[in-house]
Amino acid sequence: MADCLFCSIAAGDIPADIVLSNDHVIAFRDIAPQAPVHVLVIPKEHHANVGELANQAPQTAAHVLQAAKEVAEAQGIGDGYRLVFNTGADAGQTVFHVHAHVLGKRDLTWPPG
Ligand code: 5GP
Ligand code: ZN
């Protein structure tokens, strides 16, 4: 999709610190990490948010979740990590290409802010 930051990262047009890539998804470190491990997992194809992804491409949603697990294990946080999909501006979504935040390696409080 034109003018989408994460489509540009998926296409390799904007550099990122990529930790996993396969036919369906890529995962890269967040530019403003909120925890020692903070990785974003995105589908290569554009969907605006996780609700649209689930409706339009449920198999791709499964690939995102599987990749998040693989990233967590590879980053040493397989025993405890937080998976976040900010969905909509009211929830703090700022990039409207669906992405899972994989967060860990510090104490994570609940409820979140
Ligand atoms: P959201 O607020 O939409 O849930 O999350 C967007 C995330 O993308 C933020 O955590 C932000 O730090 C990250 N981000 C924004 N621009 C870039 C970028 O150019 N590169 C990387 N690696 N992360 C970005
Ligand atoms: Zn996109």
Side-chain angles (χ1 to χ4, degrees):
M1 188 189 211
D3 297 329
C4 171
L5 174 63
F6 286 177
C7 281
S8 297
I9 288 176
D13 295 336
I14 292 176
D17 185 356
I18 293 170
V19 300
L20 177 152
S21 179
N22 63 33
D23 287 347
H24 308 285
V25 308
I26 66 166
F28 51 95
R29 296 190 192 282
D30 197 291
I31 204 168
Q34 302 300 311
V37 173
H38 188 174
V39 172
L40 304 174
V41 181
I42 69 169
K44 289 185 170 176
E45 63 189 34
H46 183 91
H47 300 275
N49 60 51
V50 71
E52 292 195 6
L53 177 65
N55 281 341
Q56 296 165 356
Q59 191 59 48
T60 304
H63 287 302
V64 170
L65 297 178
Q66 180 62 36
K69 177 180 187 290
E70 290 175 20
V71 165
E73 290 173 348
Q75 298 294 320
I77 56 170
D79 288 340
Y81 60 96
R82 188 163 291 168
L83 200 55
V84 174
F85 291 91
N86 293 326
T87 305
D90 286 354
Q93 187 176 4
T94 59
V95 178
F96 291 87
H97 178 132
V98 59
H99 48 281
H101 296 258
V102 182
L103 296 147
K105 243 176 201 169
R106 69 165 168 80
D107 287 339
L108 295 165
T109 57
W110 193 263

